[in-house]
Amino acid sequence: MSLIKKAIDWGTRKSPWIIHFNAGSCNGCDIEIVDALTPRFDLERLGILQRGTPRHADILVCTGAVSLQTKDRLKQIYDQMPEPKFVIATGTCACSGGVFDGCYCVLGGIDRVIPVDVYIPGCAVRPEAIISAVVKLLGALEAQQKGGGKDAERRSDYSTVGREIQSFEG
Amino acid sequence: MTEYNRVVIPIGPQHPSLKEPACFTVTLEGEKIVDAVIGIGYNHRGIEKACESRYYTQIIYLLERVCGICSHTHTTAFCQGVEELAGVEIPRRAAFIRVLVAEIERLHSHLLWLGVAAHEIGFDTMFMYTWRDREAVLDILAELGGNRVNYSINTIGGVRRDIDDSLKQDILKMVDALEEQVKYYRELARSETTLAARLAGVGKLSREDALKYGAVGPVIRASGVDFDIRKVDPYAVYGEIPFKVVTDTHADVFGRTVVRVLEMLESIEIIRYCLENMPDGEITAKAPRRIPAGEVISRTEAPRGEDIHYIRSNGTEIPDRVRVRAPSEANWHAMKQMLLGQYLADVPITIAAIDPCFSCTDRAIAVNSGRETELMDWPRLRQYSVDWYKKRGIDVSSVKMPERRSYF
Ligand code: SF4
């Protein structure tokens, strides 16, 4: 493993920078994300910083059922992020459309537009759930990096996260 | 000045200062803003249309999610309207609980705003302070409704959760602690010269303009108009609760800050009054499934201002039409007026000062620019930098970029 790759891996693991995008949510989950960054929950202790531009970010934290209006923007923002990048769908409506499912201007979950790595259910999600999701993501990332790029293992890691959610929602 | 001195700067839809998408196109002459176009609608989900295909009880939960910050206000307005159509009188205890929750919500919303505004002017310490204090309020809401954000207190005919003695004690403890903090913020606003200097004179909106553009809530109250639905058209039990409508004459962002801080103190008093004077009894009255035909307009005072719901029923279990005029929608019209003549650096705080809520606003307006924008992806960006360095005699083409690994 080259030194640069090692440094990049270490950086992504130890200090992932996030960018937040609201794709058509009710605001509830957005506020909870900010909450997770403020003193009580203090996600920053995991090295997480919120950034203003997608060019600097590793993790895209998305809320809301994708509305037709934000669809292209979401895709654009995702495309602008450097590799390796991850997407966290925050809230029931980001996972599946939730309460807005069936509205004429709503496409559905975030995964209709971009690939999602972690789903967090809840309407609104609790900051604890956000922290847990980030920890899971970083854990899976570390396992994958240590395993020397065994993508298959990592894939199963994510699908576990996915399955848990399915069972949660019944 | 001629046209070519002007610079047009697009901001958004994704931008660091606000949590929600909106697009602003400001035209500058030097540093001064001479024109502003506001593009909203990114959050349009079609809730009103969806209401036309759901039952009344389902709609409560849908309308709660118009906006996660002032969720209680929307359901109050809706339930009130439906109750009026159905001729249902809610129990007094339920009316008190509605007011109580509305005021707790106002506390959380204003604290949130104070934090965001402080962040906007680079005063992050205060941002962290207010959001810490806000947690206490959220704990109470979670205890009350089981959820921190959308707490679903209202139902047609009353409220869903009662308040017992231990919760009452908790609320009193919370407001006592919070009162101290809010008084501290009031002191801060009065004595902290840097804060006043940063906010005073920014985002001016004269009394005439505020009336002309139909601003609502703290925005119009900061321009010296005492307009508050809780006073002018009292609903629930607001008619019998003694409280003051806070106004200010600064007519700028500073005034809006002062109004919100003082309003929190009023809210605390209202909460205390409610807890003391709440009668015992039922919390729900029976409401019919089919709502008699008719139409109604129902208004509430949301933390951001006047919230109007229009409901038309056709005698079935599903409404004919539901229209929501959220407070932010009213305030947007005055936005341009506030921005003109300002410096570019004041844009974020000016926008934040109306406490815009796009989720609220965007249910009703759909904008489609249809513009194609060009995007430089990473390989192209890299090629660009390689060429740039090559021209200057440095070859970086051997440095590899991390590649997209397949995650799925
Ligand atoms: S999941 Fe619920 S609370 Fe979160 S953004 Fe969607 S509707 Fe709002």
Side-chain angles (χ1 to χ4, degrees):
Chain A
M1 207 194 296
S2 76
L3 197 62
I4 290 189
K5 177 160 185 320
K6 255 191 192 154
I8 291 176
D9 277 2
W10 179 76
T12 347
R13 217 168 54 229
K14 292 293 180 199
S15 181
W17 287 3
I18 62 169
I19 179 164
H20 162 235
F21 185 70
N22 174 342
S25 79
C26 82
N27 237 335
C29 287
D30 310 75
I31 298 300
E32 293 295 70
I33 291 173
V34 183
D35 241 9
L37 291 166
T38 47
R40 189 182 194 184
F41 297 100
D42 200 11
L43 208 50
E44 289 185 1
R45 73 198 133 112
L46 297 177
I48 291 171
L49 279 184
Q50 199 188 356
R51 288 288 102 176
T53 148
R55 297 271 190 212
H56 296 168
D58 304 303
I59 304 181
L60 175 61
V61 182
C62 255
T63 54
V66 184
S67 70
L68 297 183
Q69 193 70 227
T70 47
K71 186 183 85 199
D72 299 336
R73 274 79 180 182
L74 181 61
K75 184 95 190 44
Q76 264 183 23
I77 285 177
Y78 182 74
D79 287 344
Q80 284 176 35
M81 286 168 64
E83 297 289 349
K85 53 187 163 192
F86 307 91
V87 179
I88 301 183
T90 316
T92 306
C93 68
C95 294
S96 65
V99 70
F100 306 119
D101 199 20
C103 292
Y104 67 86
C105 207
V106 166
L107 214 61
I110 301 285
D111 51 11
R112 293 282 179 89
V113 185
I114 54 175
V116 174
D117 296 84
V118 181
Y119 297 86
I120 321 176
C123 185
V125 294
R126 295 182 68 93
E128 291 94 327
I130 299 177
I131 296 174
S132 150
V134 172
V135 169
K136 267 190 184 144
L137 178 72
L138 295 183
L141 184 63
E142 190 169 355
Q144 188 249 351
Q145 285 175 350
K146 291 247 168 77
K150 271 193 226 137
D151 274 353
E153 254 175 46
R154 171 133 171 257
R155 216 174 298 145
S156 64
D157 256 324
Y158 287 130
S159 46
T160 338
V161 179
R163 262 205 302 282
E164 266 171 33
I165 287 159
Q166 272 171 7
S167 59
F168 182 87
E169 289 196 317
Chain B
M1 283 235 179
T2 42
E3 275 292 314
Y4 50 79
N5 280 332
R6 297 188 165 190
V7 182
V8 179
I9 301 188
I11 309 174
Q14 189 278 334
H15 44 98
S17 77
L18 296 163
K19 298 288 159 277
E20 299 161 89
C23 185
F24 305 91
T25 313
V26 291
T27 310
L28 299 178
E29 261 176 32
E31 283 274 298
K32 281 239 187 300
I33 298 168
V34 290
D35 193 15
V37 179
I38 298 161
I40 48 180
Y42 292 96
N43 239 339
H44 180 80
R45 287 154 288 173
I47 291 183
E48 286 174 9
K49 194 73 195 163
C51 285
E52 291 165 22
S53 59
R54 289 175 202 214
Y55 297 125
Y56 281 98
T57 6
Q58 288 177 315
I59 292 173
I60 301 173
Y61 302 99
L62 185 62
L63 285 184
E64 183 156 50
R65 282 153 183 86
V66 161
C67 168
I69 302 176
C70 42
S71 51
H72 181 73
T73 257
H74 284 294
T75 54
T76 307
F78 179 75
C79 291
Q80 233 166 237
V82 175
E83 281 149 12
E84 195 178 322
L85 278 177
V88 176
E89 179 92 27
I90 66 166
R92 260 178 71 77
R93 189 174 173 84
F96 267 100
I97 294 179
R98 273 188 189 173
V99 170
L100 182 78
V101 178
E103 293 308 318
I104 298 180
E105 183 177 78
R106 199 179 312 277
L107 282 178
H108 115 76
S109 177
H110 281 359
L111 280 171
L112 181 149
W113 177 83
L114 204 58
V116 172
H119 174 70
E120 241 39 283
I121 56 170
F123 192 2
D124 268 355
T125 318
M126 184 146 131
F127 168 53
M128 294 293 175
Y129 268 37
T130 49
W131 280 64
R132 183 201 59 197
D133 297 339
R134 191 177 151 261
E135 285 299 322
V137 186
L138 287 186
D139 279 349
I140 293 294
L141 287 171
E143 209 177 322
L144 194 63
N147 202 354
R148 285 161 53 95
V149 175
N150 297 318
Y151 15 85
S152 312
I153 300 290
N154 282 322
T155 185
I156 294 165
V159 292
R160 293 176 56 239
R161 309 271 171 158
D162 206 351
I163 289 176
D164 58 10
D165 261 345
S166 82
L167 184 56
K168 185 174 160 186
Q169 293 311 323
D170 285 349
I171 297 177
L172 283 174
K173 240 188 270 160
M174 182 273 287
V175 290
D176 286 346
L178 199 65
E179 192 173 19
E180 287 297 301
Q181 281 305 113
V182 177
K183 284 193 174 143
Y184 169 70
Y185 297 136
R186 186 181 62 186
E187 261 337 286
L188 201 74
R190 279 189 188 150
S191 59
E192 181 67 37
T193 41
T194 43
L195 190 74
R198 179 68 184 84
L199 298 180
V202 174
K204 275 271 180 201
L205 185 72
S206 66
R207 189 190 153 95
E208 291 68 43
D209 280 344
L211 288 169
K212 185 166 132 203
Y213 292 104
V216 293
V219 177
I220 196 167
R221 290 200 284 274
S223 294
V225 184
D226 65 339
F227 177 75
D228 188 324
I229 299 298
R230 292 176 293 174
K231 270 277 191 266
V232 298
D233 181 14
Y235 55 97
V237 283
Y238 277 117
E240 58 188 78
I241 299 176
F243 73 99
K244 272 208 319 282
V245 175
V246 182
T247 55
D248 192 273
T249 45
H250 280 87
D252 53 12
V253 178
F254 183 69
R256 282 160 223 153
T257 312
V258 172
V259 165
R260 286 196 176 95
V261 172
L262 296 182
E263 254 176 31
M264 277 195 265
L265 291 175
E266 288 297 321
S267 288
I268 289 174
E269 285 309 317
I270 299 178
I271 291 172
R272 289 211 180 104
Y273 180 92
C274 282
L275 286 174
E276 237 163 64
N277 296 290
M278 196 182 286
D280 287 333
E282 288 292 307
I283 55 167
T284 38
K286 196 153 169 39
R289 265 175 76 84
R290 289 170 197 279
I291 304 298
E295 53 183 355
V296 70
I297 281 184
S298 151
R299 304 195 284 177
T300 55
E301 180 74 20
R304 291 165 180 70
E306 180 192 23
D307 178 23
I308 307 175
H309 282 224
Y310 165 80
I311 305 148
R312 191 170 67 219
S313 161
N314 52 11
T316 63
E317 298 145 330
I318 296 172
D320 219 17
R321 175 84 171 98
V322 176
R323 165 85 177 104
V324 181
R325 205 298 312 269
S328 299
E329 204 177 323
N331 280 336
W332 273 126
H333 304 294
M335 191 74 240
K336 185 172 172 180
Q337 208 55 38
M338 292 184 222
L339 284 175
L340 292 184
Q342 299 283 316
Y343 291 111
L344 180 64
D346 293 335
V347 171
I349 181 67
T350 313
I351 295 172
I354 69 163
D355 203 358
C357 178
F358 300 98
S359 308
C360 285
T361 315
D362 290 356
R363 292 154 312 80
I365 305 154
V367 186
N368 207 337
S369 68
R371 246 180 323 148
E372 286 289 319
T373 44
E374 199 197 4
L375 181 77
M376 228 191 220
D377 57 7
W378 281 91
R380 258 186 62 203
L381 202 61
R382 184 180 138 71
Q383 196 50 47
Y384 181 80
S385 82
V386 168
D387 293 345
W388 193 87
Y389 278 109
K390 214 173 238 157
K391 264 189 234 145
R392 286 154 184 81
I394 308 167
D395 188 11
V396 291
S397 58
S398 62
V399 182
K400 287 261 175 317
M401 286 232 314
E403 270 158 29
R404 173 81 180 146
R405 286 168 255 167
S406 81
Y407 300 130
F408 292 91

